[in-house]
Amino acid sequence: MVLSDDALTLLRGSIRSVWALELLLLLRRNPGRDWSNGDLVSELRGSEVVVQEALAGFLGAGLLVAQSDGLHRYQPAAPILDRWVEEIEQAYATRPSAIIREIFAAPGNKVQIFADSFRFRLND
């Protein structure tokens, strides 16, 4: 894999879709900007629910801060978190298919769970 173990853990634990990754990278490219959910929905043409889910995951991972007025800003709780996001960003730029595979292979990924429900069980 093209990521360190720590960056891979962050990817698998906090980024549930390619869309969420794109959202995180947009926030990272604009570190001084406070974003409303509506701004993010418009910018990435997503849904309010998807934006809220992604932001909640990023907040839980310490990648964002939430302002009292409902705005969000990319501001990792520790510099190492930003380095891991940078590592993910660089890998996504050079080997996007590898990163996408990791996102969909993450435990608890709804798409993977759905796909696995159609697998034939040979040893049952």
Side-chain angles (χ1 to χ4, degrees):
M1 178 76 235
V2 294
L3 297 174
S4 67
D5 289 343
D6 292 326
L8 186 58
T9 299
L10 178 66
L11 176 70
R12 288 178 176 166
S14 301
I15 301 171
R16 304 274 182 216
S17 67
V18 175
W19 191 92
L21 175 58
E22 292 286 346
L23 174 62
L24 179 61
L25 298 180
L26 171 68
L27 294 167
R28 185 174 188 272
R29 285 190 299 271
N30 299 278
R33 180 172 174 183
D34 292 332
W35 295 84
S36 70
N37 288 11
D39 291 340
L40 294 168
V41 167
S42 296
E43 186 74 25
L44 292 174
R45 299 186 182 106
S47 74
E48 184 75 24
V49 171
V50 174
V51 167
Q52 289 175 351
E53 287 178 357
L55 292 176
F58 301 152
L59 282 167
L63 297 171
L64 304 179
V65 293
Q67 310 294 332
S68 60
D69 56 4
L71 300 178
H72 294 84
R73 177 186 300 165
Y74 180 79
Q75 187 175 325
I80 191 69
L81 291 170
D82 185 54
R83 285 195 294 274
W84 294 337
V85 173
E86 179 181 21
E87 193 177 327
I88 292 167
E89 182 176 32
Q90 289 174 353
Y92 184 54
T94 59
R95 304 216 25 225
S97 60
I99 298 302
I100 292 168
R101 273 194 306 276
E102 287 300 330
I103 290 171
F104 287 111
N109 182 287
K110 292 177 185 175
V111 173
Q112 188 62 51
I113 291 168
F114 180 74
D116 288 347
S117 70
F118 291 96
R119 287 187 171 199
F120 290 103
R121 306 277 189 236
L122 298 177
N123 295 329
D124 287 348

